[in-house]
Amino acid sequence: MGAVYIHIPFCKQACYYCDFHFSTSLTRKDEMIAAICQEIELRKSELNNTIIETIYFGGGTPSILSINEINKIIDVVYQRHSVVSSPEITLEANPDDLSNEKIIELSESKINRLSIGIQSFFEQDLQLMNRAHNSDEAKKCLEIATHYFKNISIDLIYGIPDCNNKQWIENIETALSFGIPHISSYALTVEPKTALASFIQKGIIKNVDDEKAQEQFYILKDILKKHDFVHYETSNFGKEGFFSKNNSGYWQGKSYLGIGPSAHSFDGNQRSWNVRNNTKYIKAIQENSLPIEREILSITDKYNEYIMTGLRTIWGVSVDKITQDFGEKYASYLAMQSQKYLDDELLIFENGILKTTAKGQFLSDGIASDLFMLNLV
């Protein structure tokens, strides 16, 4: 099974923390949609007739598109690929785009999963991040969306300056009050060259507090566990039957085709990525040329990626898979590097699977990087 990811590179305004590729100018939106459809055509054979299980609209802000524009792109995917009878088709959306009319239109399309960028239900947090919506819009869109969609995920951000633990708990409880079956939650991260980084450097906004972020991460874990959410990936919590099939495919090494400027693709052996520039992307596609860079993954690259993704999930890292796919040297190296984390109870080894403990989960990326193979030993 495979996946198609569609990157929609437009937003109404720039969130201060965001370093994804987007433009706040919609002047070339029609050309972009035509180029995205053409890229799907140009790359129709890349997944070697892999059956598509998920289609994911990310960005940017895909909900900025009209229903006709969304349907046009979906139709081209169906025309050029074999798609399972009941695919998961996700649209990332912002609350300010989700009017009653828009939600009804989406529910009547092939879109069957919404991923809504709530981030916080507190006005001060939304203003600090320069979100385009307000708290009332966040609550109103969920009130409507839950009547038309069963499969909804929301994003929440923790570690926001001046958002204390009491407010963070209220954020979580507000989300739960809508019966949402999936929550993706991320620490506020200061990415280089973002407005947030600049404001912190100038003292306009407080710097993020890593200790507070870690504390709020564990608060989130504890509350969601009590409400029968499964913490199946470091940043993702879902009720049974509501895990993201699209993202789970990424973490389990399935092939995916990334369409649109800056989108990444993976076929098991090769990773590729499109140019991160709307004008260059459109021009190349109009000339029937693919604005892509490609990288063939070495066995060490594949090992490192498996370690990174495996430790972030409940599926962990299989030592048998390491031995079978990469060889005894890699398995021995993993055993040697992981021992200190086993001793510190940050990792656990059960039934041939290496996983992070509850204590080690927040640190999974750092642990994984220490298990990476830099050179063959």
Side-chain angles (χ1 to χ4, degrees):
M1 295 294 183
V4 174
Y5 170 81
I6 313 289
H7 188 85
I8 305 300
F10 300 113
C11 290
K12 288 180 181 176
Q13 64 187 49
C15 299
Y16 290 154
Y17 57 85
C18 183
D19 71 341
F20 293 148
H21 172 66
F22 67 93
S23 171
T24 54
S25 171
L26 302 181
T27 55
R28 304 195 72 181
K29 182 159 70 79
D30 290 347
E31 288 178 280
M32 179 60 70
I33 292 164
I36 284 171
C37 292
Q38 179 64 6
E39 187 189 356
I40 295 170
E41 169 68 30
L42 292 172
R43 302 179 68 188
K44 60 187 177 184
S45 63
E46 279 198 27
L47 291 182
N48 299 317
N49 297 315
T50 298
I51 297 174
I52 302 304
E53 186 178 19
T54 67
I55 302 170
Y56 192 101
F57 286 81
T61 309
S63 56
I64 212 166
L65 300 186
S66 71
I67 193 67
N68 288 336
E69 291 166 337
I70 293 167
N71 286 337
K72 180 179 180 181
I73 295 170
I74 293 174
D75 287 346
V76 176
V77 174
Y78 269 77
Q79 290 163 13
R80 300 304 173 214
H81 294 276
S82 296
V83 181
V84 295
S85 58
S86 299
E88 175 190 88
I89 305 183
T90 302
L91 181 83
E92 289 185 355
N94 279 348
D96 46 297
D97 293 325
L98 293 179
S99 64
N100 187 76
E101 180 183 6
K102 184 70 169 279
I103 291 169
I104 293 172
E105 287 179 337
L106 289 170
S107 73
E108 294 171 346
S109 74
K110 286 187 171 70
I111 299 292
N112 52 32
R113 183 174 184 270
L114 294 180
S115 177
I116 306 175
I118 300 292
Q119 315 308 359
S120 176
F121 292 99
F122 284 94
E123 211 62 54
Q124 66 185 38
D125 296 342
L126 298 172
Q127 290 173 3
L128 180 145
M129 294 183 285
N130 199 39
R131 295 291 292 169
H133 70 277
N134 59 43
S135 179
D136 287 341
E137 286 174 318
K139 295 172 184 175
K140 184 65 176 177
C141 84
L142 290 178
E143 185 180 317
I144 301 168
T146 50
H147 285 293
Y148 292 93
F149 284 86
K150 183 180 179 182
N151 198 351
I152 295 175
S153 176
I154 69 167
D155 289 351
L156 292 176
I157 291 180
Y158 55 88
I160 300 171
D162 295 326
C163 179
N164 59 40
N165 289 350
K166 181 180 177 182
Q167 291 170 316
W168 176 234
I169 291 169
E170 188 175 333
N171 262 331
I172 301 166
E173 291 177 343
T174 300
L176 292 172
S177 72
F178 290 98
I180 302 301
H182 189 281
I183 293 176
S184 296
S185 192
Y186 309 91
L188 182 64
T189 303
V190 185
E191 300 290 353
K193 300 181 181 178
T194 59
L196 179 62
S198 176
F199 292 150
I200 288 173
Q201 185 178 18
K202 294 174 182 177
I204 298 171
I205 294 176
K206 292 181 183 177
N207 203 350
V208 298
D209 182 334
D210 290 339
E211 287 187 12
K212 183 176 83 170
Q214 184 170 354
E215 188 176 351
Q216 292 183 351
F217 172 77
Y218 288 113
I219 289 171
L220 177 70
K221 276 177 59 71
D222 290 344
I223 293 176
L224 293 187
K225 184 177 181 180
K226 292 173 184 175
H227 286 81
D228 300 321
F229 280 77
V230 178
H231 190 186
Y232 70 102
E233 192 272 342
T234 301
S235 302
N236 286 271
F237 304 77
K239 295 283 186 76
E240 289 288 353
F242 289 95
F243 296 1
S244 168
K245 291 180 182 178
N246 182 81
N247 293 347
S248 294
Y250 295 161
W251 303 318
Q252 294 174 328
K254 294 183 180 180
S255 298
Y256 57 90
L257 183 66
I259 302 294
S262 82
H264 284 59
S265 303
F266 174 69
D267 67 3
N269 294 303
Q270 179 179 254
R271 193 168 296 286
S272 61
W273 54 96
N274 284 345
V275 65
R276 191 182 167 108
N277 180 290
N278 287 2
T279 299
K280 291 180 179 178
Y281 171 80
I282 291 170
K283 184 175 186 294
I285 297 296
Q286 287 175 340
E287 296 171 352
N288 289 323
S289 174
L290 294 174
I292 292 177
E293 290 187 52
R294 303 183 189 272
E295 172 190 20
I296 303 297
L297 299 179
S298 68
I299 189 170
T300 299
D301 293 331
K302 294 178 184 179
Y303 164 85
N304 289 343
E305 290 202 4
Y306 177 56
I307 296 296
M308 173 62 78
T309 55
L311 285 187
R312 290 185 63 92
T313 71
I314 58 172
W315 303 292
V317 172
S318 166
V319 174
D320 284 347
K321 178 177 172 62
I322 294 288
T323 304
Q324 180 178 338
D325 291 359
F326 308 109
E328 190 59 48
K329 284 185 177 181
Y330 286 85
S332 298
Y333 180 79
L334 176 63
M336 177 182 68
Q337 290 295 101
S338 62
Q339 189 57 55
K340 60 185 174 182
Y341 296 108
L342 291 165
D343 294 341
D344 291 339
E345 299 182 345
L346 297 174
L347 292 177
I348 188 170
F349 185 66
E350 287 183 341
N351 302 318
I353 304 295
L354 189 68
K355 299 180 182 180
T356 56
T357 61
K359 179 181 171 184
Q361 210 157 20
F362 186 77
L363 307 171
S364 63
D365 286 351
I367 295 170
S369 67
D370 201 27
L371 306 184
F372 286 172
M373 177 77 79
L374 300 180
N375 297 291
L376 269 176
V377 292

